[in-house]
Amino acid sequence: MRPSPDLRDAITETVTRIGEAWSSAVPFPCRIEPATLCVQERDPFLRSLGSTTCVGRSPFADPLLGIAGWVLGEGATDRLARGLLDLPPPPPGVTSDLGGPLERGMELLHQLFVEHWNRCLPAALRIREEASTALTERVKGLGNRSVPTPAYPWMLTVELEISGRPCPWGIFLAPALVETPVESFSPASRVVSWSHENRPSVAFVDGDGSLVRWLMGEIRSGRLIARRSCGAEATAPTLVLKGTEGLPPDDVLVIETA
């Protein structure tokens, strides 16, 4: 399986431009290696990304093409999202379920993806730009089960280097982008959630209190803003502080970047 010969150069330029856009948005080295660009079977590639996969997807303007988007391992995605939002790294030794503010970073990464895709490829291959049609989410175990909605069985892959560390990056394909399309492929007409879970708050396990001390320092410095939340009434990302894993939260805060 290979990219369509007529589009090979345009595809390479598109992926390069998206990589450059992501790199320009973060304060650390981030670049792609165009020489690593290839087409791989979807499922083995997804299995290589780890237990949790971050995905950004939007429909093509032409419904016959299906769904466009990208997929990246959770660690690499969170590194980019933190850099994009100027969020500090978590304290050493703190386990975390990262959602909340970083979900906004994923949305911004996807916006850049769509914007530069539509700038570089022919109009017939445009992606819909409406935010209401897009979806970014974290999917646990995506590579260990069948994709629950039609996605092309091959992916465009390239090595994304983040701070000198290689990170496999995948882009969903459509029949028009490959030399010999898979005849049995039936494209999806809309984006459907693959996680079937509500997006999590930012939940940390802080056994010795080091996270609380770090958090209070960040708030005093002005890097984070915290206000108390009324649980179900919260509209912003929440931070749930726990003394011991499995026990009810000791406190709930709404966290916003300053």
Side-chain angles (χ1 to χ4, degrees), residues 15 19 26 48 66 86 136 170 176 181 201 228:
V15 173
V26 298
S48 74
D86 193 28
T136 55
S201 59
R228 292 190 181 277

Side-chain angles (χ1 to χ4, degrees), residues 158-174:
V158 68
E159 184 178 290
L160 180 67
E161 190 177 274
I162 302 176
S163 297
R165 181 178 179 179
C167 304
W169 178 34
I171 295 174
F172 293 103
L173 287 172

Side-chain angles (χ1 to χ4, degrees), residues 126-200:
R126 285 181 63 85
I127 299 172
R128 293 182 61 178
E129 297 183 358
E130 303 94 328
S132 60
T133 66
L135 177 64
T136 55
E137 60 182 339
R138 298 167 192 270
V139 186
K140 296 184 182 298
L142 179 60
N144 296 320
R145 57 184 172 88
S146 60
V147 176
T149 192
Y152 201 73
W154 295 77
M155 297 195 72
L156 188 70
T157 67
V158 68
E159 184 178 290
L160 180 67
E161 190 177 274
I162 302 176
S163 297
R165 181 178 179 179
C167 304
W169 178 34
I171 295 174
F172 293 103
L173 287 172
L177 294 170
V178 295
E179 186 173 36
T180 307
V182 175
E183 295 182 0
S184 61
F185 173 65
S186 299
S189 59
R190 63 188 180 92
V191 180
V192 178
S193 174
W194 287 349
S195 65
H196 302 293
E197 298 174 357
N198 293 327
R199 291 183 179 180

Side-chain angles (χ1 to χ4, degrees), residues 41-244:
E41 289 186 63
R42 181 196 63 212
D43 293 345
F45 175 76
L46 292 177
R47 285 195 292 270
S48 74
L49 296 180
S51 60
T52 301
T53 305
C54 293
V55 183
R57 293 176 294 142
S58 289
F60 282 100
D62 181 351
L64 295 178
L65 297 180
I67 307 299
W70 54 273
V71 56
L72 192 63
E74 183 179 43
T77 306
D78 285 345
R79 179 85 168 99
L80 290 172
R82 284 182 182 279
L84 197 151
L85 295 175
D86 193 28
L87 291 172
V94 174
T95 59
S96 57
D97 183 6
L98 295 173
L102 294 188
E103 301 301 326
R104 177 56 181 161
M106 287 175 57
E107 293 172 359
L108 295 175
L109 288 172
H110 187 61
Q111 290 175 15
L112 289 170
F113 176 90
V114 172
E115 176 186 344
H116 288 274
W117 179 283
N118 287 343
R119 283 185 183 181
C120 299
L121 285 172
L125 297 172
R126 285 181 63 85
I127 299 172
R128 293 182 61 178
E129 297 183 358
E130 303 94 328
S132 60
T133 66
L135 177 64
T136 55
E137 60 182 339
R138 298 167 192 270
V139 186
K140 296 184 182 298
L142 179 60
N144 296 320
R145 57 184 172 88
S146 60
V147 176
T149 192
Y152 201 73
W154 295 77
M155 297 195 72
L156 188 70
T157 67
V158 68
E159 184 178 290
L160 180 67
E161 190 177 274
I162 302 176
S163 297
R165 181 178 179 179
C167 304
W169 178 34
I171 295 174
F172 293 103
L173 287 172
L177 294 170
V178 295
E179 186 173 36
T180 307
V182 175
E183 295 182 0
S184 61
F185 173 65
S186 299
S189 59
R190 63 188 180 92
V191 180
V192 178
S193 174
W194 287 349
S195 65
H196 302 293
E197 298 174 357
N198 293 327
R199 291 183 179 180
S201 59
V202 185
F204 295 87
V205 177
D206 184 33
D208 61 2
S210 60
L211 173 58
V212 173
R213 291 190 293 273
W214 167 80
L215 177 64
M216 294 301 105
E218 292 296 315
I219 292 171
R220 284 193 294 271
S221 72
R223 290 178 62 86
L224 292 178
I225 299 171
R227 59 183 176 81
R228 292 190 181 277
S229 166
C230 297
E233 298 179 7
T235 58
T238 59
L239 175 70
V240 183
L241 303 180
K242 299 181 180 181
T244 304

